């Protein structure tokens, strides 16, 4: 699949964000890589002759400067992938009770995932004439998973936002969809899913047992779905949430 587009990816320094950059670049897109730390983006940007955009997705002024830099370099913006987000340990239960969850941690995880999707969309979509926006949700938005109360609620909000934006931006010719990954090994969840020897933890075994595909996903599998949503093959797809979870969402566990 060939995509002759300019694509900006927030959260490009993460495992999934980086894979999405690789996938879009391999499909022919010119890429802008956005994250808070420039040093984490340099090597990936050099690999694809991409543009490093150092910005916090919660800072509108930084995002506006990044948009201006992208327009100066590329002349247009066709694709926005909102891959910035993640969990916040303080907003999880397990070591603490639900009744002891700190408001500050819940606010942080909601801001990171929800406002961290809204603000980049406000800033970058204002410069888009047609094109595609893809938000990153999670299997946690669809099924109640232990521990991750704040993250699950935040990603559920991202999916509602995706549908709302699909309607709002349709007159501008901008399609808005989301991808809902299942379980992938990343920096934040590695110790929850794998022990020091690389074997599955109890939580990891339970997840694999509840996934019909019988394994964790590979980052490129999310990237492939994003590339499809950004291309002409998905030209009549908007307001959709595409699960990339090995069947986790489909399986009741019974």
């Amino acid at each position: 699949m060939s995509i002759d587009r300019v694509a900006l990816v927030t959260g490009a320094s993460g495992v999934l964000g980086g894979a999405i950059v690789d996938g879009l670049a391999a499909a022919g897109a010119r890429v802008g890589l956005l994250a808070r730390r420039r040093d984490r983006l340099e090597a990936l940007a050099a690999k694809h002759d991409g543009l490093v955009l150092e910005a916090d997705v919660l800072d509108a002024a930084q995002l506006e400067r990044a948009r201006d830099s992208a327009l100066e370099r590329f002349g247009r913006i066709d694709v926005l992938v909102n891959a910035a987000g993640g969990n916040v340990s303080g907003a999880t239960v397990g070591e603490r009770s639900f009744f002891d969850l700190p408001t500050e941690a819940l606010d942080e995880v909601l801001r990171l995932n929800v406002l961290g999707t809204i603000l980049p969309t406000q800033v970058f979509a204002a410069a888009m004439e047609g094109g595609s926006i893809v938000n990153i949700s999670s299997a946690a938005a669809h099924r109640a998973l232990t521990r991750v109360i704040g993250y699950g609620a935040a990603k559920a909000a991202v999916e509602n936002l995706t549908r709302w934006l699909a309607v709002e931006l349709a007159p501008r010719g901008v399609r808005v969809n989301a991808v809902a990954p299942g379980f992938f090994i990343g920096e934040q969840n590695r110790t929850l899913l794998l022990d020091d020897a690389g074997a599955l933890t109890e939580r990891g075994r339970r997840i694999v047992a509840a996934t019909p595909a019988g394994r964790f996903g590979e980052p490129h599998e999310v990237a492939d779905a994003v590339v499809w949503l950004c291309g002409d093959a998905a030209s009549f797809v908007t307001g959709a949430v595409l699960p990339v979870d090995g069947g986790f969402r489909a399986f009741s566990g019974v």
Side-chain angles (χ1 to χ4, degrees):
M1 182 183 299
S2 177
I3 297 181
D4 180 19
R5 288 168 170 79
V6 173
L8 304 187
V9 181
T10 74
S13 61
V15 171
L16 292 183
I20 291 167
V21 170
D22 284 339
L24 288 167
R30 290 172 287 168
V31 290
L33 296 73
L34 189 146
R36 286 179 294 183
R37 291 182 54 183
R38 185 180 190 90
D39 60 310
R40 292 191 173 191
L41 301 176
E42 295 285 2
L44 186 59
K47 176 181 173 184
H48 301 300
D49 191 26
L51 174 64
V52 173
L53 300 167
E54 184 177 358
D56 186 333
V57 292
L58 297 177
D59 189 315
Q62 291 184 21
L63 290 170
E64 288 168 359
R65 287 194 291 271
R67 178 192 61 199
D68 294 344
S69 296
L71 291 173
E72 181 179 356
R73 166 77 174 270
F74 300 119
R76 69 181 201 267
I77 299 169
D78 305 308
V79 169
L80 170 64
V81 181
N82 285 307
N87 196 16
V88 174
S89 60
T92 62
V93 297
E95 296 180 358
R96 66 179 62 80
S97 161
F98 163 75
F99 300 102
D100 297 324
L101 284 172
T103 302
E104 296 80 5
L106 290 169
D107 180 67
E108 183 180 357
V109 75
L110 288 167
R111 283 174 53 81
L112 175 60
N113 291 280
V114 183
L115 197 60
T117 298
I118 291 174
L119 284 180
T121 301
Q122 285 182 319
V123 171
F124 292 114
M128 295 172 64
E129 297 181 5
S132 175
I133 296 172
V134 180
N135 299 324
I136 304 301
S137 179
S138 168
H142 302 276
R143 297 179 61 181
L145 305 181
T146 57
R147 298 177 60 92
V148 292
I149 174 177
Y151 181 70
K155 289 303 189 183
V158 167
E159 293 197 3
N160 183 276
L161 174 67
T162 296
R163 291 185 285 270
W164 190 91
L165 286 170
V167 177
E168 180 72 11
L169 299 183
R172 300 173 65 97
V174 178
R175 297 182 297 106
V176 187
N177 295 288
V179 170
F183 289 87
F184 296 74
I185 303 297
E187 294 178 9
Q188 290 188 325
N189 65 2
R190 181 175 299 275
T191 58
L192 288 174
L193 303 180
L194 302 175
D195 63 22
D196 292 340
L200 292 174
T201 62
E202 175 58 29
R203 186 176 180 84
R205 287 192 293 272
R206 290 170 61 192
I207 289 168
V208 170
T211 302
R215 62 176 175 85
F216 297 126
E218 297 292 337
H220 76 84
E221 293 171 314
V222 171
D224 291 343
V226 171
V227 170
W228 176 72
L229 285 171
C230 293
D232 291 338
S235 59
F236 200 52
V237 180
T238 194
V241 178
L242 178 62
V244 184
D245 61 4
F248 182 85
R249 180 178 175 183
F251 183 38
S252 70
V254 177

